[in-house]
Amino acid sequence: MYIITVKLSKTSMLHIFSHRNKKEMIHKCLTNLLVSCTLWLLPSDYFAVIINQNYLIETKFFPLFLSSVAEVQDVVFVIQSQKNSYHTHRAEQRRTELLHQAQTLNQSSPDVVLLHKLSDYDGNWSILPALPRLASQYCQTSLWIVFLEEETNVNLHNLLQVLSKFNTRKEWFLGRPLHDDEPTIIHHYAFSEDPSSFSYPDFMAGWALSCPLAKRTAERVNYEPPKSDFTIDLQHEIALYIWEEGRGPALTVVNEFCSELQRLSSTGDCATTINTFLSACGNPVQKEDVFVAVKTCQRFHGDRVPLVKQTWEKDAASLEYYSDFTDPYIPTIHLGVPNTERGHCQKTFAILKRFASGVVTQAPWLLIVDDDTLISLPRLWRLLGCYDPNEAVSVGERYGYGLSRDGYSYITGGGGMVFSRVAVQNILAGGCGCHSSDAPDDMVLGMCLTTLGLPVTHSPLFHQARPQDYVKELLARQSPISFHKHWNINPVAVYQHWLKEPNQRRAHSLTKTREEL
């Protein structure tokens, strides 16, 4: 976009307007016999081109900034897409909608980047590894990088109005703020004295970086990686990295980045809204299509296993408990693998082999959970309706390790790991295995999937921790599939409040009433 600054003779008044045809504007300047005409080229607006009455051209520094109406070509949109075919389709839908809106506004088509296609590196989802390429490729011609999730809707007209309020020569980090109500393990108990003092963006509502900030952050990534090797809650970790312990900008609140559903009447001024919290993908899979493997040990046969039976076990069509001790009353199956205090890699691979053999089940899906995982199987069936079991699908809550230096992604085990039969077959055929019996099974599987070039698919509906470890606002708009850990909670109450389907609650209430009568 070109900004033409016209300075009137003998006055200090400045007329600012946007125009794409700089020749026409220069002609207007000259034919109106003005003292000077300043042509401001964006985004590299550090110099002004001066054309005086004698048709002489000179350049000089022009320090004054004046805001202008943003145009579509000032913005590059980055959709935080995933490699799986379902998620790629959703991202392409968002891209098509953006292009259609630009056409409706009589503007040129914007750059829309699908993050998983930016390069071959699967770790680009963690943003920082992708930022150098994004900044170098797009910040030469654009002023903003706007990040969207697959279910983020954009009102392009409103978004451009919002962005036009900000000085694009400054560093801006824009978004809808979230904050922790109490210190949480998923954020490493950061800001424990006052967790609400730090704001981070709600990714689903969209967020934006001005190109000066994007370029400086991209340069910093090359010599100063994040302090932690683990990527757990990306939106919090991105905000921490940009904030740089107070040396960088904090999140600027933009109320027009909305977390409400698009269909609500109150979203007229929103620049972004949310399409859906749980996509309707047609019919859910049949309960017989999911084989459930519960990892346990003799130590927890008396407390954790009864809680599984009391809550979600009855929804499973096919389920086995795998332990270090055969207990016919549960019953449990001993796979010949000794129990370990942590990791359980050898046990998990024994489960994969048992499932792949086809002796126990021919189900197309395998769910592996811990004995302290709380899960809604009906919601899982609905989610799996979105995926093709003929693909190598691995889905759950995605974490990352060492992603700033060619690391890998993995499905964190506590929230539940779901694999298609095809994925299990590929893992075993690929020669993957445990370097020790107590190696962390989820991380070993992540390394394996990365080595084999198979995608690790994220769903925010799985949770590695307890409900109180997550922002209430985020949980309130979800239909969560899982939580993990019994520490300082009532597991039955958590299951009934967060995971039990409404019709199941009503049935439970009626049964209880009959018993009381």
Side-chain angles (χ1 to χ4, degrees), residues 179-184 190-200:
H179 62 80
D180 297 333
D181 293 323
E182 59 184 72
T184 172
F191 306 95
S192 57
E193 293 184 1
D194 184 10
S196 64
S197 65
F198 184 74
S199 295
Y200 51 99

Side-chain angles (χ1 to χ4, degrees), residues 159-305:
L159 177 64
L160 295 179
Q161 285 191 325
V162 168
L163 295 179
S164 67
K165 300 175 184 178
F166 297 93
N167 179 339
T168 54
R169 290 177 61 188
K170 292 185 177 181
E171 294 188 349
W172 293 104
F173 177 31
L174 310 180
R176 179 178 184 83
L178 299 171
H179 62 80
D180 297 333
D181 293 323
E182 59 184 72
T184 172
I185 189 172
I186 66 171
H187 297 157
H188 304 292
Y189 301 104
F191 306 95
S192 57
E193 293 184 1
D194 184 10
S196 64
S197 65
F198 184 74
S199 295
Y200 51 99
D202 181 350
F203 273 11
M204 192 170 275
W207 57 290
L209 301 177
S210 64
C211 272
L213 177 57
K215 289 190 284 189
R216 184 179 67 81
T217 306
E219 292 173 2
R220 181 178 160 220
V221 165
N222 291 324
Y223 64 83
E224 187 181 341
K227 291 182 178 179
S228 175
D229 288 329
F230 288 91
T231 302
I232 295 174
D233 184 8
L234 181 61
Q235 51 199 6
H236 189 271
E237 289 150 13
I238 288 290
L240 271 179
Y241 189 82
I242 290 173
W243 180 64
E244 205 176 344
E245 296 183 344
R247 295 185 295 274
L251 181 71
T252 296
V253 176
V254 177
N255 292 323
E256 292 86 352
F257 283 6
C258 301
S259 61
E260 289 82 16
L261 290 171
Q262 183 184 32
R263 63 177 177 267
L264 298 179
S265 58
S266 60
T267 59
D269 295 329
C270 291
T272 63
T273 52
I274 296 174
N275 185 58
T276 180
F277 301 133
L278 179 60
S279 296
C281 301
N283 295 325
V285 302
Q286 298 296 310
K287 63 191 304 183
E288 294 79 14
D289 291 336
V290 181
F291 179 76
V292 183
V294 182
K295 295 184 297 180
T296 187
C297 64
Q298 186 178 11
R299 174 184 170 189
F300 297 124
H301 287 189
D303 50 7
R304 293 185 182 180
V305 170

Side-chain angles (χ1 to χ4, degrees), residues 211-444:
C211 272
L213 177 57
K215 289 190 284 189
R216 184 179 67 81
T217 306
E219 292 173 2
R220 181 178 160 220
V221 165
N222 291 324
Y223 64 83
E224 187 181 341
K227 291 182 178 179
S228 175
D229 288 329
F230 288 91
T231 302
I232 295 174
D233 184 8
L234 181 61
Q235 51 199 6
H236 189 271
E237 289 150 13
I238 288 290
L240 271 179
Y241 189 82
I242 290 173
W243 180 64
E244 205 176 344
E245 296 183 344
R247 295 185 295 274
L251 181 71
T252 296
V253 176
V254 177
N255 292 323
E256 292 86 352
F257 283 6
C258 301
S259 61
E260 289 82 16
L261 290 171
Q262 183 184 32
R263 63 177 177 267
L264 298 179
S265 58
S266 60
T267 59
D269 295 329
C270 291
T272 63
T273 52
I274 296 174
N275 185 58
T276 180
F277 301 133
L278 179 60
S279 296
C281 301
N283 295 325
V285 302
Q286 298 296 310
K287 63 191 304 183
E288 294 79 14
D289 291 336
V290 181
F291 179 76
V292 183
V294 182
K295 295 184 297 180
T296 187
C297 64
Q298 186 178 11
R299 174 184 170 189
F300 297 124
H301 287 189
D303 50 7
R304 293 185 182 180
V305 170
L307 286 170
V308 175
K309 290 181 173 294
Q310 186 179 348
T311 53
W312 58 269
E313 184 204 77
K314 58 185 175 297
D315 291 324
S318 182
L319 177 149
E320 289 185 341
Y321 293 91
Y322 298 108
S323 180
D324 57 344
F325 177 79
T326 301
D327 185 337
Y329 298 102
I330 293 178
T332 61
I333 295 172
H334 186 14
L335 294 171
V337 177
N339 187 54
T340 55
E341 287 298 317
R342 60 185 184 275
H344 312 295
C345 186
Q346 193 173 348
K347 179 186 287 186
T348 296
F349 269 83
I351 292 170
L352 295 177
K353 292 173 183 176
R354 182 174 174 84
F355 174 79
S357 71
V359 173
V360 179
T361 178
Q362 294 292 328
W365 297 101
L366 169 65
L367 166 65
I368 302 178
V369 295
D370 293 345
D371 53 12
D372 58 349
T373 301
L374 298 168
I375 194 162
S376 169
L377 293 179
R379 293 176 188 172
L380 177 61
W381 303 333
R382 288 201 295 270
L383 177 70
L384 292 180
C386 298
Y387 298 105
D388 183 353
N390 296 311
E391 296 180 5
V393 178
S394 304
V395 64
E397 184 176 22
R398 178 183 57 194
Y399 281 9
Y401 181 77
L403 294 179
S404 62
R405 56 177 193 282
D406 295 327
Y408 56 89
S409 308
Y410 62 98
I411 301 300
T412 181
M417 301 182 289
V418 183
F419 304 97
S420 65
R421 181 171 290 274
V422 174
V424 173
Q425 291 168 341
N426 274 268
I427 289 168
L428 297 176
C432 300
C434 308
H435 56 81
S436 65
S437 61
D438 65 348
D441 53 354
D442 49 6
M443 297 180 75
V444 170

Side-chain angles (χ1 to χ4, degrees), residues 442-455:
D442 49 6
M443 297 180 75
V444 170
L445 286 169
M447 284 189 283
C448 174
L449 292 169
T450 299
T451 300
L452 298 176
L454 301 177

